Amino acid sequence: MEKILLATRNKDKIAEIKEILKDLDIQLLTAYDFPKLPEVIEDRSTIAGNAIKKATESANFSGFPTLADDTGLFVNALNDAPGVYSARYAGENCSYKDNRLKLLQEMNNITEREAEFRTVVAFAFPGKLIATAEGKVLGKITRKEIGANGFGYDAIFRAIETGKTFGEMTREEKEKISHRGRAFQKIIKVIKSEPRIDTDQ
Ligand code: IMP
């Protein structure tokens, strides 16, 4: 069975992505299988740039086909902030909760609450970027936290398509419409078409 590295140490992402890829006949490794895998500095100006950097550097280090995703929450009224800086919006080493509270605070007097989650996933072989895929979902920033599921900004993002926050959705419900679910559904097609990765064995 072909091994693919998912280049992240984020356990919330790992849980979601394992579920999304569960029907692929692959063995999914993570950064926890490579204790010496260098932490990739996310210093590119776009989520695509960061995803490509993480996937290519981790593929080169590990020697395995590698997937890496980068996600941002882009809020219209804040000129697309926090965007590429979503992880450290409230400062270096801040918690998910710090980020949510900062965003609610910034949006305090703002009535236009439209926002978009975007994920770019990159797929690389050692020495070669194979493909990138993007997934997006539109929503609105709530006025308070609603729902205890998910992670990150999930409790304050109400998806237009369901009228529920990601914090109120089960993992399966979120996966069907989420930025990450959509990006990975596209990359699954690429993985299945790669001759070096035999997903039927
Ligand atoms: P990353 O750079 O891809 O790890 O994501 C940046 C930040 O966006 C994370 O630290 C989370 O706060 C947030 N984030 C990423 N994915 C999601 C999601 O699916 N729901 C809510 N927040 C997320």
Side-chain angles (χ1 to χ4, degrees), residues 5-7 10 16 29 38 53 75 80 122-124 130 162 166 181 189:
L5 168 62
L6 178 62
N10 180 324
E16 280 195 6
L29 307 173
K53 186 177 180 197
V75 181
D80 276 353
F123 183 46
I130 302 293
T162 63
F166 279 153
K189 293 197 181 119

Side-chain angles (χ1 to χ4, degrees), residues 96-112:
Y96 288 151
K97 178 116 189 151
D98 296 335
N99 280 334
R100 288 194 299 270
L101 293 180
K102 165 147 174 146
L103 186 53
L104 288 177
Q105 179 64 35
E106 294 287 325
M107 299 285 290
N108 202 13
N109 293 314
I110 296 178
T111 49
E112 194 215 328

Side-chain angles (χ1 to χ4, degrees), residues 19-162:
E19 180 70 25
I20 295 169
L21 300 181
K22 67 177 185 303
D23 293 333
L24 273 185
D25 197 13
I26 55 163
Q27 186 184 342
L28 196 67
L29 307 173
T30 72
Y32 292 102
D33 295 299
F34 297 89
K36 293 190 177 144
L37 189 72
E39 191 76 49
V40 176
I41 316 260
E42 298 185 22
D43 58 359
R44 300 293 150 96
S45 60
T46 61
I47 57 169
N50 283 332
I52 290 168
K53 186 177 180 197
K54 281 189 266 188
T56 52
E57 287 188 11
S58 303
N60 291 345
F61 179 88
S62 68
F64 286 102
T66 298
L67 289 165
D69 88 345
D70 200 49
T71 295
L73 177 58
F74 298 80
V75 181
N76 288 2
L78 302 179
N79 295 320
D80 276 353
V84 73
Y85 304 109
S86 294
R88 47 191 187 279
Y89 188 45
E92 292 299 326
N93 304 317
C94 62
S95 67
Y96 288 151
K97 178 116 189 151
D98 296 335
N99 280 334
R100 288 194 299 270
L101 293 180
K102 165 147 174 146
L103 186 53
L104 288 177
Q105 179 64 35
E106 294 287 325
M107 299 285 290
N108 202 13
N109 293 314
I110 296 178
T111 49
E112 194 215 328
R113 305 191 71 87
E114 285 73 20
E116 188 169 66
F117 260 123
R118 296 177 201 149
T119 289
V120 172
V121 53
F123 183 46
F125 285 156
K128 188 178 176 200
L129 175 68
I130 302 293
T132 62
E134 188 175 34
K136 300 177 179 181
V137 59
L138 280 173
K140 288 192 178 182
I141 304 302
T142 53
R143 291 198 172 268
K144 59 179 171 72
E145 298 187 354
I146 304 171
N149 296 338
F151 67 100
Y153 298 91
D154 278 347
I156 60 169
F157 181 88
R158 189 192 302 283
I160 304 279
E161 284 163 71
T162 63

